[in-house]
Amino acid sequence: MSIETSQRIVIKIGSALIAPEQDGCRSRYLLNIAQFIVQCRAKGKEVLLVSSGAVAAGSHLFKNKDKSSVAVKKAMAAAGQTEMISTWERFFDFPSAQLLLTHGDLRDRDRYNSIRETLFTLLEQGILPIINENDAVTTDALKVGDNDNLSAMVAAAADADCLIICSDVNGLYDKDPNKNADARLLDTVGELTPEIYAMTGGPTSSVGTGGMKTKLQAAEKATSHGIVTYIVNGFNEDTFTELLNGANPGTRFLPYDTPMHEALHWMTHTASEQGELIVEAGQFDALSCDDIVAVNGDFSAGETVLVRSEDGQKLAKASCNYSSCLLNFIAQQDKDIVTEQVQNSIGPVISQNDIAVFEERNS
């Protein structure tokens, strides 16, 4: 699959492209990207834009302030967000809409479905969604932390078929190209193996929050949903011409042959676990109280938990029908009597329809 055959495209732009000097938004690198979006829409394709840059855009407004302060960064994001949106709007003669999200919005199933409905409605009306993390209000417990992974979550929520992650390098190399003259650009990656992840280094930009590792994490999220993913150089104007012509100017990550079901994908790649259930090693379907060896963390009924075996192996993520408080209470009682009473009224700890078992990717 190439851009030519894609019908719904998510493009992610980093802070270094929008505010390269951290002194406000600059159009230098954005013109080519905006033209690419316009041309995609002219071809009948739907586009969603995930744009970083609010903090970098607002940085110059806070002189004589400690910019490492969390409170100042939030204020910078609030001030810079308006400039970032107005900068994008100057390039388009069609309407756009701003969506500010946190991981708390995405990991809650009802709010996630509400986000999906909003995105679908905007696209139906020909409105360009411009999405960013809500850095002005988010906390450590609620933030995604980087827009690479946010873009993959948005692509999955929007049922996109293509994700383009713009970077400051040409794509994924087999070694750091800044330190190794013989580094080789990988044209196509069929599977994200531990060996592929081992090729990543740290961030190459002083402005953004993500490095190549977060881009690979995003590619894993997207490809498992059946979304072809590109990592390309957003600073190179030829990148977007090549994409429009159906070429691959960077690294292309192939989607799963059999994508994960939407609900299971959300459970695996978007919902974050609030605790852990430790169970005996082996296969499992529905989980009962008797199967649980230990309970870690503090979570409510309906929240997502990680299921591990006693030897530490991650087995699944699932929605738990019991709170950690109730499970710990049961563990302290006569298990046979209490388990039967509770499970007759509530049911299994985890239902078969609410579990995402970790498996090897489809060939």
Side-chain angles (χ1 to χ4, degrees), residues 95-106:
S96 62
Q98 173 182 260
L99 277 79
L100 295 175
L101 305 176
T102 69
H103 198 209
D105 300 316
L106 292 160

Side-chain angles (χ1 to χ4, degrees), residues 199-354:
M199 297 175 184
T200 64
T204 59
S205 168
S206 62
V207 179
T209 57
M212 188 55 69
K213 184 177 180 180
T214 64
K215 291 170 177 56
L216 294 190
Q217 292 170 345
E220 176 66 27
K221 288 178 172 65
T223 55
S224 64
H225 200 276
I227 303 168
V228 64
T229 302
Y230 293 84
I231 297 177
V232 300
N233 191 333
F235 292 85
N236 186 349
E237 61 181 278
D238 293 334
T239 290
F240 304 100
T241 301
E242 291 182 45
L243 284 170
L244 284 169
N245 291 335
N248 172 19
T251 301
R252 179 179 59 174
F253 297 83
L254 301 180
Y256 281 28
D257 291 336
T258 305
M260 296 177 68
H261 184 273
E262 192 278 326
L264 293 183
H265 185 276
W266 172 83
M267 179 77 71
T268 303
H269 291 295
T270 301
S272 59
E273 60 267 18
Q274 304 304 299
E276 293 184 345
L277 301 181
I278 310 301
V279 301
E280 295 181 1
Q283 298 293 326
F284 63 92
D285 293 311
L287 202 64
S288 71
C289 297
D290 291 334
D291 300 317
I292 299 173
V293 176
V295 178
N296 297 330
D298 184 13
F299 52 87
S300 303
E303 290 191 316
T304 302
V305 295
L306 179 67
V307 182
R308 289 182 183 268
S309 62
E310 290 180 281
D311 60 6
Q313 181 184 1
K314 294 181 181 180
L315 301 175
K317 285 171 70 174
S319 176
C320 189
N321 296 326
Y322 294 58
S323 68
S324 56
C325 181
L326 179 55
L327 287 172
N328 283 316
F329 169 77
I330 293 172
Q332 298 170 13
Q333 310 304 314
D334 185 319
K335 217 169 187 182
D336 291 336
I337 297 175
V338 175
T339 296
E340 183 178 354
Q341 291 175 341
V342 173
Q343 291 192 173
N344 283 342
S345 60
I346 300 179
V349 177
I350 292 172
S351 304
Q352 283 182 297
N353 294 334
D354 296 321

